[in-house]
Amino acid sequence: VQLQASGGGLVQDGGSLRLSCAASGLIFSVYSMSWFRQAPGKEREFVAAITWNGNGLYYEDSVKGRFTISRDNAKNTVFLQMNSLKPEDSAVYYCAAPPRFYFVAQTISELRSGYWGQGTQVTVSS
């Protein structure tokens, strides 16, 4: 399984970025997908998740109303649209797939046997 995250970069406070995560080596259409982030000196934390069919969306409280997770099962890709970015959103963002079909992972422990992408850096300047 390979998860390739991209789309990170440097943006000003209030700006937007769209992250992408291309998946291969798994039946993407039956896997729920998640985004996590990790800032320097902090633990990796949950950001958002989407069910296998796109009908269920889950967000960490601080990103609700600003971030939108979506997916394109025809392209084996999950997206994270990030608007109204703040300096505290600066982190390395990781996409992740759980260890079994349909399961929605929202914690690190739930992904212990799952799959992680390599991460993409997001930096928001004030």
Side-chain angles (χ1 to χ4, degrees):
V1 174
Q2 288 193 332
L3 303 175
Q4 183 70 38
S6 61
L10 174 64
V11 65
Q12 290 188 332
D13 191 354
S16 298
L17 283 174
R18 189 191 196 206
L19 306 184
S20 299
C21 175
S24 61
L26 75 170
I27 306 172
F28 183 76
S29 60
V30 298
Y31 278 86
S32 299
M33 297 294 293
S34 306
W35 286 98
F36 283 71
R37 66 185 178 187
Q38 188 168 18
K42 295 188 176 181
E43 294 186 352
R44 193 170 298 188
E45 65 175 2
F46 171 76
V47 175
I50 184 168
T51 54
W52 60 278
N53 57 3
N55 288 344
L57 307 177
Y58 306 84
Y59 296 99
E60 191 270 331
D61 285 347
S62 70
V63 308
K64 285 180 181 177
R66 300 188 299 122
F67 290 11
T68 302
I69 189 170
S70 62
R71 65 189 296 155
D72 185 338
N73 284 351
K75 296 182 178 180
N76 286 7
T77 302
V78 60
F79 305 98
L80 187 66
Q81 177 67 44
M82 306 186 295
N83 299 329
S84 302
L85 282 162
K86 306 175 182 181
E88 52 264 41
D89 294 317
S90 297
V92 178
Y93 283 71
Y94 299 89
C95 58
R100 56 188 184 272
F101 297 166
Y102 306 121
F103 180 76
V104 181
Q106 298 184 56
T107 67
I108 296 294
S109 60
E110 290 172 336
L111 283 161
R112 187 169 291 119
S113 300
Y115 309 98
W116 292 92
Q118 88 288 2
T120 184
Q121 177 71 51
V122 171
T123 303
V124 184
S125 63
S126 58

